[in-house]
Amino acid sequence: MLTSEQPIQRLLADLPTGVTLVAVSKGVSAERIRAAVTAGATDLGENRVQEALSKMPALQDLNVRWHLIGRLQGNKIRRAVEAFDWIHSVESLDQAADISRVAEELGKRQKVLIQVNVSGETTKGGLSPEAAWAVLPALGRLPGLDLRGVMTIAPQADDPETVRPMFRSLREFAEKATDQRWPGVVLKTLSMGMSGDYQVALAEGATMIRLGRAVFGPRTQT
Ligand SMILES: *Cc1c(COP(=O)(O)O)cnc(C)c1O
């Protein structure tokens, strides 16, 4: 079947080796998600558990990894662990312990990232760098977790250069934490960069970029 060219094809062609493009499909229909996967998308990101669960049945035949990139409420932890390959938005030790316990019950090790709020914006989720540092040794010991790294959401900026220091400080945070050699704490994955700022994030060492509008075009809602 012939399909029209999709932005994802060019994005994937330009992607540096070792970087994963997470196509953020919030607000996008299952049909359009399928077209992006046909065009090469391997990883899909959703920010709401409920919305993701409503689309997954129609896409079950696809070989993709699902990433939860939005806030995770306590009452949705079980469903999230069942459905998602990666959870990028861990933001407390209690929550991490709950995820670990559910994952163990399900016989899985849940890949997670700690969301670090490097901008200090109070509207963003995540732990402050100081708080994240304090909980990392305990997080590394949780048996149901496969702690892979850190995630951040930079503030919206007209000039992406203004957020470069935040991406850099996230990378330095991860490197310093890994240097501590706390058991289970090897923070290799840096999930940073969205449609407006991913080029700067890549220059600062992102290993996962989360692109919504660049892949699917402007969103009408969400
Ligand atoms: C929506 C969203 C994205 C993608 O944003 P775009 O600007 O559309 O690329 C990335 N990360 C998170 C956490 C999001 O909620």
Side-chain angles (χ1 to χ4, degrees):
M1 189 176 71
L2 277 175
T3 49
S4 54
E5 187 174 352
Q6 301 242 353
I8 185 111
Q9 291 172 290
R10 178 163 300 278
L11 290 163
L12 287 169
D14 292 343
L15 206 64
T17 314
V19 176
T20 300
L21 192 168
V22 178
V24 176
S25 50
K26 63 188 182 195
V28 176
S29 68
E31 195 176 40
R32 292 181 60 215
I33 297 172
R34 179 176 292 278
V37 173
T38 304
T42 56
D43 291 77
L44 299 172
E46 289 278 345
N47 67 339
R48 294 193 183 137
V49 175
Q50 206 52 53
E51 181 183 339
L53 290 177
S54 74
K55 292 176 200 171
M56 283 174 178
L59 300 168
Q60 215 142 40
D61 58 306
L62 300 178
N63 182 22
V64 290
R65 290 174 290 266
W66 290 91
H67 299 248
L68 179 64
I69 60 172
R71 261 191 165 141
L72 175 55
Q73 292 169 282
N75 61 357
K76 301 223 167 82
I77 286 179
R78 181 167 298 273
R79 274 168 287 168
V81 172
E82 282 167 354
F84 287 93
D85 298 291
W86 290 73
I87 297 175
H88 292 223
S89 47
V90 173
E91 57 179 353
S92 78
L93 183 54
D94 284 350
Q95 182 194 41
D98 286 346
I99 294 171
S100 173
R101 181 178 42 76
V102 171
E104 280 199 284
E105 285 169 20
L106 296 172
K108 124 178 225 200
R109 275 183 83 214
Q110 179 66 51
K111 293 186 187 65
V112 298
L113 306 177
I114 309 306
Q115 185 174 347
V116 183
N117 182 346
V118 282
S119 71
E121 273 191 313
T122 51
T123 53
K124 300 275 194 291
L127 290 162
S128 69
E130 296 74 24
W133 188 267
V135 298
L136 273 171
L139 276 172
R141 289 192 297 266
L142 290 171
L145 292 196
D146 180 3
L147 175 59
R148 292 297 187 96
V150 284
M151 178 273 241
T152 201
I153 304 174
Q156 215 139 35
D158 293 333
D159 177 4
E161 281 301 328
T162 60
V163 299
R164 183 184 290 272
M166 289 163 209
F167 294 144
R168 183 168 300 172
S169 87
L170 187 73
R171 169 166 50 82
E172 289 170 352
F173 175 92
E175 287 168 355
K176 265 190 229 153
T178 301
D179 285 347
Q180 305 304 308
R181 300 185 174 274
W182 292 317
V185 182
V186 180
L187 305 182
K188 284 212 174 122
T189 300
L190 300 179
S191 169
M192 57 188 198
M194 304 172 31
S195 295
D197 56 23
Y198 71 91
Q199 273 141 337
V200 174
L202 286 172
E204 292 300 331
T207 69
M208 267 189 193
I209 52 174
R210 309 179 307 268
L211 305 184
R213 291 165 298 142
V215 171
F216 294 107
R219 275 185 294 279
T220 46
Q221 15 99 281
T222 317

